[in-house]
């Protein structure tokens, strides 16, 4: 009974503390005293960081928004700008955190927080990068921002993480480019000529643009297969020339991957090409 009463008492005290805190926050929020708001917001930020509390970060943001313009150009402005940007970052509002960290770097280039801010701005863009099959504008922005950080801090505290993220994003772009070419190859049979030629062109561009890609062998194979399918589905008066072009892609695959995963399929198509070419002799 005594323990139950103690628990109820502690819960009541906790509730009263929360209500008091909310009351204090609302008073400060409505106050015209920028100094009180600065102190309260900084305390909220520190509590949020200690408790990993997004709710407190959001409450701090509301206060930062009110007073930040008053402190720009003043000594407190540097710290306030960083806390404001980092609060957005901590709650996962990466669109605004990237913008605010960029503004911080531009406004305070000599700050001891400028490297961290540069990295967090780039990482905010990274977090905004969508899955590979969507528009990759934010992915390109993230790669640019990460590369900018790495150019400025090649041995920086966050360089290893930045390199890993940039590599991940480049692979995403590679996958998108590869899948676009592959899609042309897949639907080639429906719109035979246009999509096979688009597939060949796309694979040529992909191979040139991404020489180290893990999709390189498959791209070589599918390029040949598109050229082969394009040739054998052509009118006879066009077939011989297109079969010869397919042979060039066959040779390119065989030279690069003599023991390749698709060699059996490639050789089977090669035999068919040779047999078809003989009919023109």
């Amino acid at each position: 009974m005594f323990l139950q009463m103690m628990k109820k008492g502690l819960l009541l005290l906790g509730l009263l503390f929360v209500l008091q805190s909310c009351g204090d926050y609302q008073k400060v929020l409505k106050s015209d005293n920028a100094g009180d708001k600065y102190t309260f917001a900084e305390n909220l930020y520190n509590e949020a960081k200690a408790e990993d509390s997004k709710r407190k970060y959001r409450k701090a943001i509301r206060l930062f928004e009110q007073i930040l313009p008053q402190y720009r150009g003043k000594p407190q402005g540097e710290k306030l700008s960083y806390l404001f940007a980092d609060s957005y970052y901590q709650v996962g509002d990466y669109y605004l955190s990237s913008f605010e960290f960029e503004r911080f770097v531009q406004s305070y280039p000599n700050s001891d927080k400028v490297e961290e801010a540069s990295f967090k701005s780039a990482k905010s863009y990274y977090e905004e990068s969508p899955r590979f099959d969507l528009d990759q504008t934010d992915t390109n922005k993230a790669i640019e921002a990460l590369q900018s950080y790495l150019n400025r801090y090649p041995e920086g505290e966050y360089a290893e993480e930045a390199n890993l993220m940039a590599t991940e994003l480049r692979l995403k772009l590679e996958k998108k480019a590869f899948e676009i070419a592959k899609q042309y190859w897949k639907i080639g049979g429906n719109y035979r000529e246009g999509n096979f030629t688009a597939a060949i062109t796309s694979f040529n561009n992909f191979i040139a643009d991404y020489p180290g890609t893990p999709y390189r062998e498959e791209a070589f194979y599918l390029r040949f297969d598109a050229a082969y399918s394009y040739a054998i589905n052509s009118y006879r008066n066009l077939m011989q020339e297109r079969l010869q072009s397919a042979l060039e892609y066959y040779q390119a695959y065989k030279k690069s991957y003599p023991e390749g995963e698709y060699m059996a399929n490639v050789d089977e198509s090669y035999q068919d090409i040779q047999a078809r070419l003989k009919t023109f002799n």
Side-chain angles (χ1 to χ4, degrees), residues 216-218 220 252-261 263:
R216 189 172 185 269
E217 182 186 350
E218 189 175 358
F220 266 67
Y253 178 87
K254 186 175 181 180
K255 181 179 179 181
S256 297
Y257 304 99
E259 305 295 329
E261 178 182 353
M263 200 67 236

Side-chain angles (χ1 to χ4, degrees), residues 124-152:
S124 295
Y125 280 119
Y126 164 85
E127 296 288 355
E128 288 285 287
S129 174
R131 65 176 191 261
F132 80 90
D133 56 328
L134 299 177
D135 179 77
Q136 295 301 305
T137 299
D138 286 329
T139 301
N140 284 309
K141 285 181 181 177
I143 291 173
E144 184 179 343
L146 287 164
Q147 192 58 57
S148 177
Y149 168 81
L150 289 166
N151 290 342
R152 189 171 181 183

Side-chain angles (χ1 to χ4, degrees), residues 52-113:
D52 193 23
S53 170
K54 290 187 177 182
R55 181 180 63 85
K56 288 190 175 181
Y57 278 122
R58 291 191 180 96
K59 290 174 74 172
I61 286 170
R62 291 187 65 190
L63 291 171
F64 289 142
E65 286 174 333
Q66 290 185 352
I67 62 175
L68 191 59
Q70 300 174 54
Y71 282 98
R72 293 198 189 280
K74 295 181 179 179
Q76 303 97 319
E78 178 183 332
K79 183 175 184 180
L80 184 59
S81 295
Y82 173 83
L83 297 182
F84 184 49
D86 197 52
S87 294
Y88 277 128
Y89 181 84
Q90 297 300 335
V91 298
D93 193 337
Y94 297 115
Y95 177 80
L96 287 174
S97 66
S98 63
F99 175 79
E100 292 300 335
F101 275 126
E102 281 183 1
R103 176 185 280 186
F104 176 85
V105 171
Q106 291 167 5
S107 301
Y108 306 101
N110 298 318
S111 170
D112 59 2
K113 287 286 190 179

Side-chain angles (χ1 to χ4, degrees), residues 7-256:
K7 287 180 181 179
K8 287 181 180 178
L10 289 172
L11 286 172
L12 181 60
L13 284 173
L15 180 60
L16 289 171
F17 176 76
V18 169
L19 291 172
Q20 178 64 41
S21 297
C22 290
D24 291 343
Y25 174 73
Q26 291 300 325
K27 287 179 184 177
V28 173
L29 193 64
K30 295 174 183 178
S31 168
D32 293 327
N33 190 313
D36 288 347
K37 289 184 178 183
Y38 183 103
T39 301
F40 205 98
E42 185 179 0
N43 288 337
L44 273 173
Y45 173 89
N46 290 332
E47 290 174 12
K49 191 173 183 179
E51 301 169 16
D52 193 23
S53 170
K54 290 187 177 182
R55 181 180 63 85
K56 288 190 175 181
Y57 278 122
R58 291 191 180 96
K59 290 174 74 172
I61 286 170
R62 291 187 65 190
L63 291 171
F64 289 142
E65 286 174 333
Q66 290 185 352
I67 62 175
L68 191 59
Q70 300 174 54
Y71 282 98
R72 293 198 189 280
K74 295 181 179 179
Q76 303 97 319
E78 178 183 332
K79 183 175 184 180
L80 184 59
S81 295
Y82 173 83
L83 297 182
F84 184 49
D86 197 52
S87 294
Y88 277 128
Y89 181 84
Q90 297 300 335
V91 298
D93 193 337
Y94 297 115
Y95 177 80
L96 287 174
S97 66
S98 63
F99 175 79
E100 292 300 335
F101 275 126
E102 281 183 1
R103 176 185 280 186
F104 176 85
V105 171
Q106 291 167 5
S107 301
Y108 306 101
N110 298 318
S111 170
D112 59 2
K113 287 286 190 179
V114 74
E115 180 189 347
E116 182 183 346
S118 297
F119 172 72
K120 284 186 173 179
S121 177
K123 190 171 181 180
S124 295
Y125 280 119
Y126 164 85
E127 296 288 355
E128 288 285 287
S129 174
R131 65 176 191 261
F132 80 90
D133 56 328
L134 299 177
D135 179 77
Q136 295 301 305
T137 299
D138 286 329
T139 301
N140 284 309
K141 285 181 181 177
I143 291 173
E144 184 179 343
L146 287 164
Q147 192 58 57
S148 177
Y149 168 81
L150 289 166
N151 290 342
R152 189 171 181 183
Y153 305 101
E155 304 297 328
E157 181 180 353
Y158 311 98
E160 183 177 356
E161 187 177 356
N163 271 309
L164 289 173
M165 289 191 294
T167 298
E168 178 187 334
L169 295 178
R170 290 189 184 102
L171 284 173
K172 185 184 291 188
L173 294 181
E174 288 179 20
K175 185 171 179 62
K176 182 176 179 68
F178 177 71
E179 290 297 332
I180 289 172
K182 195 172 181 179
Q183 189 64 23
Y184 283 124
W185 168 78
K186 284 180 179 178
I187 63 176
N190 295 327
Y191 302 96
R192 191 163 61 222
E193 192 156 319
N195 286 312
F196 280 135
T197 55
I200 294 166
T201 300
S202 295
F203 282 125
N204 279 333
N205 292 337
F206 176 79
I207 290 165
D209 292 342
Y210 304 104
T213 177
Y215 305 107
R216 189 172 185 269
E217 182 186 350
E218 189 175 358
F220 266 67
Y221 164 64
L222 294 178
R223 179 179 64 173
F224 163 70
D225 190 69
Y228 166 69
S229 298
Y230 180 41
I232 64 173
N233 285 288
S234 299
Y235 292 111
R236 184 165 176 80
N237 64 317
L238 300 172
M239 188 180 293
Q240 184 176 15
E241 180 183 353
R242 292 173 180 178
L243 287 171
Q244 293 290 352
S245 295
L247 277 179
E248 293 178 13
Y249 292 124
Y250 163 79
Q251 294 295 342
Y253 178 87
K254 186 175 181 180
K255 181 179 179 181
S256 297

